[in-house]
Amino acid sequence: MINETDPQKMYRAMQAKLSNVVPDFELKLKSEIAAEINRLKAEKNAVILGHNYMEPTLFNSVPDFVGDSLELARRAAQTDKDIIVFCGVRFMAETAKILNPTKTVLLPAKKAGCSLAASITAQDVRDLKTRFPGVPVVTYVNTYADVKAESDICCTSGNAVAVVASLHTDRVIFLPDEYLARNVAKETGKEIIFPTPDPRKTTDSELNFQMIGWLGRCEVHDKFTVEDIANVRKQFPDVTILAHPECSPAVVAASDFSGSTGAMIRFVENSSAPHYLLLTECAMGDNIAAANPDKDMLRLCSVRCPHMNEITLEETLEALQKNQYVIELPQDILERAARAVQRMIAIG
Ligand code: SF4
């Protein structure tokens, strides 16, 4: 965080941090907006949370806390500020509201969706529970509040294995990310099935399985391939490759490390490879490069998450100026979703 309200001081501070990743004309422009955001943030008694996927000028200026979805969920639960401005996507802002319902939670862009969250509805979860009665439902935090409300417990990419293990059951429904589910199944030695919408087309009772998945995918991590990795390794044989668990199991297997965005950041900070390649959202590579100027970060990035990309300093300023867009959730959804999220937080 750069807690400057003076545009000149903000510019110099941003320049010191970001001159290797952001052009100077952009820093000048953005520093004025960031300084005004900080002034308004103090005036309105707000806290700003910034996800690791925020673009570098935002990530490195106005957030009071940055991190992955679990780290930010914890910060949201703990804050005593009146307003939480969530610089991330909608499901994250909803989680902040679930954990601290008396606060005003603002999402700076109205849409800011997510292909994973959009892949499943609350009715889909109810249908699965009817089809697999008594099987507990684990839901990735990348889902909307009404889906969380149908779940027994939530998980993140960082604690998914621990959450599944904590249930001590023979079977678990794990939703909605196909690749994260396959990666967890592989790590825990479980057989996984992906039921067709029409139960008459399968014979569940005859199958040997311990996990039931769903065919949702992150449109960003789905793009990385084993061929990408082979090409980079050909050019840089001593590269260390880090893959997010939302990448396919084949991509994860071909990488050197797999973990949540927070785990990837810690891995880079605590190791000393000649080159690193991150298989995750592009902006995070820039943010890690800015924080670790001595480390060589290769880029395999042509695509940003279109949803994360909606959140900019300009939108964040407008959110504080106009008190928009307020996250509102029905009381019963809030309460039921809170149980699933709190249960996850208790595990860690
Ligand atoms: S990076 Fe993937 S999982 Fe994250 S918000 Fe974008 S689409 Fe959703």
Short mmCIF file of all heavy atoms in Angstrom, two decimals, residues 291-313:
data_model
loop_
_atom_site.label_atom_id
_atom_site.label_comp_id
_atom_site.label_asym_id
_atom_site.label_seq_id
_atom_site.Cartn_x
_atom_site.Cartn_y
_atom_site.Cartn_z
N ALA A 291 7.57 -6.63 -7.34
CA ALA A 291 7.99 -6.87 -5.95
C ALA A 291 9.35 -7.55 -5.87
O ALA A 291 10.01 -7.51 -4.84
CB ALA A 291 6.94 -7.71 -5.24
N ASN A 292 9.76 -8.22 -6.96
CA ASN A 292 11.03 -8.97 -6.95
C ASN A 292 11.87 -8.58 -8.16
O ASN A 292 12.08 -9.39 -9.07
CB ASN A 292 10.75 -10.48 -6.98
CG ASN A 292 9.93 -10.95 -5.80
OD1 ASN A 292 10.45 -11.24 -4.75
ND2 ASN A 292 8.62 -11.00 -6.00
N PRO A 293 12.37 -7.34 -8.20
CA PRO A 293 13.08 -6.88 -9.40
C PRO A 293 14.33 -7.69 -9.73
O PRO A 293 14.80 -7.68 -10.86
CB PRO A 293 13.44 -5.42 -9.06
CG PRO A 293 13.21 -5.25 -7.61
CD PRO A 293 12.28 -6.31 -7.17
N ASP A 294 14.84 -8.44 -8.75
CA ASP A 294 16.05 -9.25 -8.98
C ASP A 294 15.72 -10.59 -9.62
O ASP A 294 16.62 -11.34 -10.00
CB ASP A 294 16.77 -9.48 -7.64
CG ASP A 294 15.83 -10.09 -6.59
OD1 ASP A 294 14.65 -9.66 -6.54
OD2 ASP A 294 16.26 -11.00 -5.86
N LYS A 295 14.44 -10.95 -9.76
CA LYS A 295 14.07 -12.26 -10.31
C LYS A 295 13.59 -12.10 -11.75
O LYS A 295 12.88 -11.14 -12.07
CB LYS A 295 12.96 -12.90 -9.47
CG LYS A 295 13.29 -12.86 -7.98
CD LYS A 295 13.20 -14.17 -7.30
CE LYS A 295 13.96 -14.10 -5.99
NZ LYS A 295 13.36 -14.85 -4.91
N ASP A 296 13.94 -13.08 -12.58
CA ASP A 296 13.56 -13.00 -13.99
C ASP A 296 12.24 -13.71 -14.23
O ASP A 296 12.16 -14.94 -14.17
CB ASP A 296 14.67 -13.63 -14.85
CG ASP A 296 14.37 -13.45 -16.34
OD1 ASP A 296 13.71 -12.44 -16.68
OD2 ASP A 296 14.75 -14.32 -17.14
N MET A 297 11.20 -12.93 -14.47
CA MET A 297 9.86 -13.50 -14.70
C MET A 297 9.61 -13.55 -16.21
O MET A 297 9.54 -12.51 -16.86
CB MET A 297 8.78 -12.63 -14.05
CG MET A 297 8.99 -12.30 -12.59
SD MET A 297 9.02 -13.73 -11.49
CE MET A 297 7.40 -14.42 -11.80
N LEU A 298 9.45 -14.77 -16.74
CA LEU A 298 9.10 -14.89 -18.16
C LEU A 298 7.61 -14.64 -18.30
O LEU A 298 6.84 -14.90 -17.38
CB LEU A 298 9.45 -16.28 -18.68
CG LEU A 298 10.90 -16.74 -18.49
CD1 LEU A 298 11.07 -18.15 -19.04
CD2 LEU A 298 11.84 -15.79 -19.21
N ARG A 299 7.20 -14.19 -19.46
CA ARG A 299 5.77 -13.93 -19.67
C ARG A 299 5.22 -14.87 -20.74
O ARG A 299 5.83 -15.04 -21.78
CB ARG A 299 5.54 -12.48 -20.13
CG ARG A 299 6.10 -11.43 -19.22
CD ARG A 299 5.23 -11.35 -17.95
NE ARG A 299 5.30 -10.03 -17.35
CZ ARG A 299 6.30 -9.61 -16.60
NH1 ARG A 299 7.32 -10.37 -16.38
NH2 ARG A 299 6.27 -8.39 -16.07
N LEU A 300 4.08 -15.49 -20.43
CA LEU A 300 3.40 -16.31 -21.45
C LEU A 300 1.98 -15.75 -21.53
O LEU A 300 1.01 -16.47 -21.49
CB LEU A 300 3.37 -17.77 -21.00
CG LEU A 300 2.96 -18.82 -22.03
CD1 LEU A 300 3.96 -18.88 -23.16
CD2 LEU A 300 2.83 -20.18 -21.39
N CYS A 301 1.91 -14.46 -21.59
CA CYS A 301 0.62 -13.82 -21.36
C CYS A 301 0.14 -13.02 -22.54
O CYS A 301 0.79 -12.07 -22.95
CB CYS A 301 0.75 -12.87 -20.19
SG CYS A 301 0.16 -13.60 -18.70
N SER A 302 -0.99 -13.40 -23.06
CA SER A 302 -1.62 -12.54 -24.04
C SER A 302 -3.04 -12.25 -23.61
O SER A 302 -3.70 -11.39 -24.16
CB SER A 302 -1.62 -13.21 -25.41
OG SER A 302 -2.18 -14.49 -25.27
N VAL A 303 -3.50 -12.96 -22.59
CA VAL A 303 -4.91 -12.81 -22.20
C VAL A 303 -5.02 -12.47 -20.72
O VAL A 303 -4.45 -13.15 -19.88
CB VAL A 303 -5.67 -14.15 -22.42
CG1 VAL A 303 -7.15 -13.93 -22.23
CG2 VAL A 303 -5.38 -14.71 -23.78
N ARG A 304 -5.76 -11.41 -20.44
CA ARG A 304 -6.08 -11.12 -19.06
C ARG A 304 -7.47 -11.66 -18.77
O ARG A 304 -8.27 -11.86 -19.69
CB ARG A 304 -6.10 -9.60 -18.83
CG ARG A 304 -4.74 -8.99 -18.66
CD ARG A 304 -4.80 -7.87 -17.63
NE ARG A 304 -5.21 -8.39 -16.34
CZ ARG A 304 -5.74 -7.63 -15.37
NH1 ARG A 304 -5.92 -6.35 -15.55
NH2 ARG A 304 -6.10 -8.17 -14.22
N CYS A 305 -7.76 -11.88 -17.49
CA CYS A 305 -9.14 -12.25 -17.15
C CYS A 305 -10.01 -11.04 -17.46
O CYS A 305 -9.81 -9.96 -16.90
CB CYS A 305 -9.24 -12.61 -15.67
SG CYS A 305 -10.95 -12.76 -15.16
N PRO A 306 -10.99 -11.21 -18.36
CA PRO A 306 -11.80 -10.05 -18.74
C PRO A 306 -12.61 -9.49 -17.57
O PRO A 306 -12.98 -8.32 -17.57
CB PRO A 306 -12.74 -10.61 -19.83
CG PRO A 306 -12.77 -12.08 -19.60
CD PRO A 306 -11.44 -12.44 -19.01
N HIS A 307 -12.84 -10.32 -16.56
CA HIS A 307 -13.64 -9.89 -15.40
C HIS A 307 -12.79 -9.09 -14.42
O HIS A 307 -13.17 -8.01 -13.98
CB HIS A 307 -14.27 -11.11 -14.73
CG HIS A 307 -14.90 -12.05 -15.70
ND1 HIS A 307 -16.05 -11.73 -16.38
CD2 HIS A 307 -14.50 -13.26 -16.16
CE1 HIS A 307 -16.34 -12.73 -17.21
NE2 HIS A 307 -15.42 -13.67 -17.09
N MET A 308 -11.61 -9.62 -14.12
CA MET A 308 -10.69 -8.88 -13.23
C MET A 308 -10.28 -7.56 -13.88
O MET A 308 -10.06 -6.56 -13.21
CB MET A 308 -9.43 -9.72 -12.99
CG MET A 308 -9.67 -10.95 -12.16
SD MET A 308 -9.88 -10.50 -10.42
CE MET A 308 -10.05 -12.12 -9.68
N ASN A 309 -10.19 -7.60 -15.21
CA ASN A 309 -9.76 -6.44 -15.97
C ASN A 309 -10.75 -5.27 -15.88
O ASN A 309 -10.42 -4.13 -16.20
CB ASN A 309 -9.61 -6.87 -17.44
CG ASN A 309 -8.63 -6.00 -18.18
OD1 ASN A 309 -7.80 -5.35 -17.55
ND2 ASN A 309 -8.74 -5.97 -19.49
N GLU A 310 -11.97 -5.58 -15.44
CA GLU A 310 -12.98 -4.51 -15.32
C GLU A 310 -12.68 -3.58 -14.15
O GLU A 310 -13.20 -2.48 -14.08
CB GLU A 310 -14.35 -5.14 -15.06
CG GLU A 310 -14.80 -6.05 -16.16
CD GLU A 310 -16.17 -5.69 -16.64
OE1 GLU A 310 -16.81 -4.82 -16.04
OE2 GLU A 310 -16.59 -6.29 -17.64
N ILE A 311 -11.88 -4.06 -13.20
CA ILE A 311 -11.60 -3.25 -12.01
C ILE A 311 -10.34 -2.42 -12.26
O ILE A 311 -9.25 -2.96 -12.42
CB ILE A 311 -11.39 -4.14 -10.76
CG1 ILE A 311 -12.50 -5.19 -10.63
CG2 ILE A 311 -11.30 -3.29 -9.50
CD1 ILE A 311 -13.87 -4.66 -10.35
N THR A 312 -10.50 -1.12 -12.29
CA THR A 312 -9.39 -0.20 -12.53
C THR A 312 -9.37 0.86 -11.43
O THR A 312 -10.31 0.96 -10.63
CB THR A 312 -9.58 0.52 -13.88
OG1 THR A 312 -10.80 1.29 -13.78
CG2 THR A 312 -9.69 -0.46 -15.04
N LEU A 313 -8.31 1.67 -11.42
CA LEU A 313 -8.28 2.78 -10.46
C LEU A 313 -9.44 3.74 -10.72
O LEU A 313 -10.04 4.28 -9.80
CB LEU A 313 -6.93 3.51 -10.56
CG LEU A 313 -5.76 2.83 -9.84
CD1 LEU A 313 -4.44 3.49 -10.22
CD2 LEU A 313 -5.95 2.87 -8.32
#
